[in-house]
Amino acid sequence: MSGQQIFNYGTDHLTAELALAISRGEIKGVISESARQKVIESSAVVERIAVSGKAVYGINTGFGPLCTEMISAADTRKLQENILKSHAVGVGEPIDLEISKLMLVLKLQALAQGYSGIRIETLDRMIWFLETGAIPVVPKQGSVGASGDLAPLSHLFLPLIGLGKVHYQGEMISTTALLKKYNMQPLHLGPKEGLALINGTQFIAAHAVKVVQRLENLLASADIIAALMIEGLQGSEKPFEAQLHELRPYPANIEVAGQVRKLLQGSEIMKSHANCAKVQDPYSLRCIPQVHGASRTAWLHLKEALEIELNAVTDNPVIFNDDLTISGGNFHGQPLALPLDYACLAASEIGNISDRRIYLSLEGNTPGVPKLLMKETGLNSGFMIVQYTSAALASENKGLCFPASADSIPTSLGQEDHVSMGSIGARKALQVIENVEKILGIELFCAAQAIDYHYPLKPGKILTAVHAFVRSEIDHFEEDQIMYDRMENAIQMVKQGKIIAAATQAEQGL
């Protein structure tokens, strides 16, 4: 594409946002000449070690507990293909196509730095798979997140040697069929290449990229929807005043409080009850800065850890030169496993407090807002059962919040005697986020109904625009209707960032 932005693997700084853009074809990833030269030099070092007789793990020795078994120079290539075959033991449904793409992008960034002994031909073939849209099929389960994500990465790279399956043009086909279509031959791996390909944290990190992206959207949506509910339930503005938060100056809390103040600004609804007798609101309204803010802090912690990981060399051994190779533990997933569990809990808490606000909206304790958000109840159940769904989702999340990183089961005959389980934590975090997107959609659905009862009074200008957007797709109603389609519509507004877009557009128009 003419004028397309270029990212140089191995030399440019990768972020979660850039990784997503490359995986989506919005930015083209290439290997610069300087990176190519480093890769070629590192590969040459490995070739020399392979025939030197000097024992170096994974180049001319077996793997894991077989690290003392010497491999002849003639068999070093066979060794690398065997490791891909023997380690491709993943089970379960395939991961999302976008996460498979991200794994390729992240692996290219790590290997192109020139410390892995990979051949340039292998990196070029990886780019070919990515740009052709032939994306390897990777099962969800099988990684313990320690010696790298061995099983999923093995599946990711089986197609390099002509094995495994790929997603191609909406179908799942064999790599053999793909290569035949393009009249191409499988690669024959050189010394250490198989190990370099499967040692690393790219399964965990690719999921973490999606966690960072979706949690950011969730947090911003939660602030807007909570502000809508404050308007609908005539909550107080005072808990969001700046001087209060200066006394406990967590940056994220200050940010959330400031955002809510901006959203409530100019509200006719807020002015209408400025002198009411109510002293203070329940925590789910009053403590939004503290709860949302704490979750935002957890998100930032993961984002910062992930950015280090995206630009790290995470395989083993690491090749510096002919005289220095280091067998270490850069493949261990613990640095991401802990913040992923933290982010998982942070997302769940956004769902917990949102469910409480949904419940509040049904109580009928706000002047003008009827019980169960409907004027005529009895014959009509109103929004009663909507909250059952949010409660079920919040409860499900609590079970998913047990930290995966708290567990460790020894593997590899005890050689890998402490593992991170970060792959499990990463998958769970996305499950929780998916559930919280649904809870927030339900809160949006209820908040819009509550605000309707204050008409002709309007909320602040930004929230008026958000409310109008919701009402452009979901009607107010006063008799029992089929709920799930309306709920799903609201959920998609959250999931697709439409609520944020509506608020942003309105703010820019002020």
Side-chain angles (χ1 to χ4, degrees):
M1 186 185 297
S2 178
Q4 186 175 23
Q5 184 179 341
I6 298 296
F7 180 87
N8 294 288
Y9 289 119
T11 53
D12 288 350
H13 186 80
L14 190 61
T15 64
E17 185 179 17
L18 285 171
L20 281 163
I22 297 167
S23 73
R24 293 167 179 171
E26 298 162 3
I27 295 175
K28 184 177 178 64
V30 301
I31 302 173
S32 67
E33 285 307 312
S34 61
R36 283 181 174 273
Q37 191 55 42
K38 286 191 71 175
V39 168
I40 290 167
E41 290 170 2
S42 178
S43 179
V45 169
V46 168
E47 291 281 357
R48 291 191 290 270
I49 291 172
V51 298
S52 69
K54 174 185 174 184
V56 176
Y57 174 70
I59 297 177
N60 51 19
T61 75
F63 306 113
L66 304 176
C67 60
T68 58
E69 299 286 335
M70 288 294 294
I71 306 297
S72 69
D75 287 335
T76 53
R77 295 179 187 275
K78 180 68 172 174
L79 174 70
Q80 301 306 314
E81 295 192 4
N82 280 351
I83 194 174
L84 286 186
K85 295 174 185 176
S86 66
H87 286 53
V89 294
V91 295
E93 293 296 313
I95 60 174
D96 289 346
L97 185 59
E98 186 167 63
I99 296 179
S100 292
K101 289 180 182 180
L102 283 168
M103 288 177 70
L104 282 171
V105 170
L106 305 193
K107 197 67 182 179
L108 280 160
Q109 174 71 349
L111 295 177
Q113 295 180 52
Y115 292 96
S116 301
I118 202 83
R119 292 178 306 154
I120 196 67
E121 296 94 327
T122 305
L123 296 187
D124 286 339
R125 181 63 65 91
M126 289 165 60
I127 291 174
W128 178 84
F129 274 99
L130 192 59
E131 293 185 345
T132 306
I135 308 303
V137 175
V138 178
K140 286 184 176 180
Q141 296 165 298
S143 172
V144 295
S147 187
D149 292 308
L150 294 174
L153 285 169
S154 296
H155 285 277
L156 189 74
F157 294 120
L158 278 177
L160 292 177
I161 60 173
L163 303 176
K165 294 181 178 181
V166 295
H167 301 277
Y168 182 71
Q169 295 183 349
E171 296 184 281
M172 197 180 294
I173 65 171
S174 70
T175 305
T176 302
L178 175 77
L179 295 180
K180 184 177 180 181
K181 175 180 173 63
Y182 284 91
N183 196 26
M184 296 176 70
Q185 296 298 315
L187 294 181
H188 294 288
L189 299 180
K192 192 188 176 287
E193 284 202 287
L195 190 60
L197 290 167
I198 71 169
N199 253 330
T201 58
Q202 285 74 35
F203 181 88
I204 300 173
H207 281 78
V209 167
K210 293 295 294 179
V211 170
V212 164
Q213 176 218 11
R214 289 177 68 178
L215 185 52
E216 182 177 22
N217 173 71
L218 186 150
L219 289 165
S221 299
D223 292 347
I224 296 166
I225 294 165
L228 272 173
M229 192 61 91
I230 292 168
E231 293 269 25
L233 301 185
Q234 294 187 342
S236 173
E237 294 178 280
K238 288 185 178 179
F240 307 96
E241 290 183 4
Q243 57 265 44
L244 174 66
H245 296 281
E246 288 167 4
L247 299 178
R248 196 188 189 197
Y250 289 102
N253 299 24
I254 291 170
E255 182 180 350
V256 172
Q259 177 71 356
V260 174
R261 285 199 308 275
K262 179 176 67 179
L263 292 166
L264 298 178
Q265 190 173 358
S267 168
E268 295 173 359
I269 297 173
M270 299 304 290
K271 287 178 183 176
S272 73
H273 63 92
N275 299 313
C276 68
K278 187 165 61 172
V279 176
Q280 58 184 18
D281 296 322
Y283 289 180
S284 60
L285 296 179
R286 198 189 339 156
C287 300
I288 288 167
Q290 291 79 9
V291 177
H292 288 204
S295 291
R296 187 170 286 276
T297 298
W299 167 78
L300 182 61
H301 179 57
L302 175 62
K303 183 174 183 285
E304 290 173 345
L306 176 62
E307 199 154 319
I308 293 171
E309 195 77 4
L310 295 182
N311 297 284
V313 175
T314 58
D315 66 346
N316 180 59
V318 175
I319 311 300
F320 291 92
N321 52 52
D322 289 80
D323 301 315
L324 181 61
T325 63
I326 298 178
S327 184
N330 274 10
F331 50 69
H332 202 292
Q334 196 79 353
L336 282 185
L338 292 178
L340 276 165
D341 282 335
Y342 182 19
C344 181
L345 179 60
S348 180
E349 282 301 290
I350 294 295
N352 274 343
I353 197 169
S354 176
D355 170 69
R356 293 297 80 215
R357 290 192 294 265
I358 293 166
Y359 188 92
L360 274 182
S361 73
L362 306 181
E363 286 187 321
N365 293 332
T366 302
V369 179
K371 185 170 63 176
L372 302 176
L373 295 174
M374 200 171 283
K375 291 177 181 176
E376 301 292 336
T377 51
L379 178 62
N380 295 301
S381 294
F383 284 59
M384 180 197 305
I385 309 300
V386 167
Q387 191 263 330
Y388 281 44
T389 302
S390 67
L393 292 164
S395 180
E396 183 176 308
N397 282 348
K398 292 170 188 177
L400 290 168
C401 277
F402 182 87
S405 57
D407 187 32
S408 177
I409 298 175
T411 56
S412 194
L413 302 184
Q415 180 79 0
E416 297 162 15
D417 56 355
H418 180 279
V419 298
S420 76
M421 302 299 182
S423 58
I424 299 167
R427 290 192 295 111
K428 288 201 302 97
L430 281 178
Q431 283 181 268
V432 167
I433 288 169
E434 178 90 16
N435 287 342
V436 177
E437 288 167 345
K438 294 171 182 174
I439 295 171
L440 287 175
I442 293 169
E443 184 183 0
L444 176 64
F445 182 41
C446 294
Q449 184 84 355
I451 283 176
D452 289 341
Y453 291 112
H454 298 297
Y455 184 83
L457 298 178
K458 294 180 180 179
K461 290 184 178 180
I462 297 173
L463 293 181
T464 294
V466 172
H467 181 259
F469 170 70
V470 175
R471 280 288 167 258
S472 71
E473 297 193 21
I474 304 172
D475 291 336
H476 176 95
F477 53 95
E478 287 295 342
E479 293 182 348
D480 282 350
Q481 307 277 337
I482 294 289
M483 292 286 203
Y484 69 83
D485 52 351
R486 292 169 169 83
M487 290 161 57
E488 183 58 35
N489 201 337
I491 289 164
Q492 290 305 315
M493 289 178 181
V494 173
K495 195 170 184 177
Q496 296 173 18
K498 292 181 179 180
I499 293 302
I500 299 170
T504 302
Q505 186 177 2
E507 184 180 358
Q508 291 169 348
L510 292 179

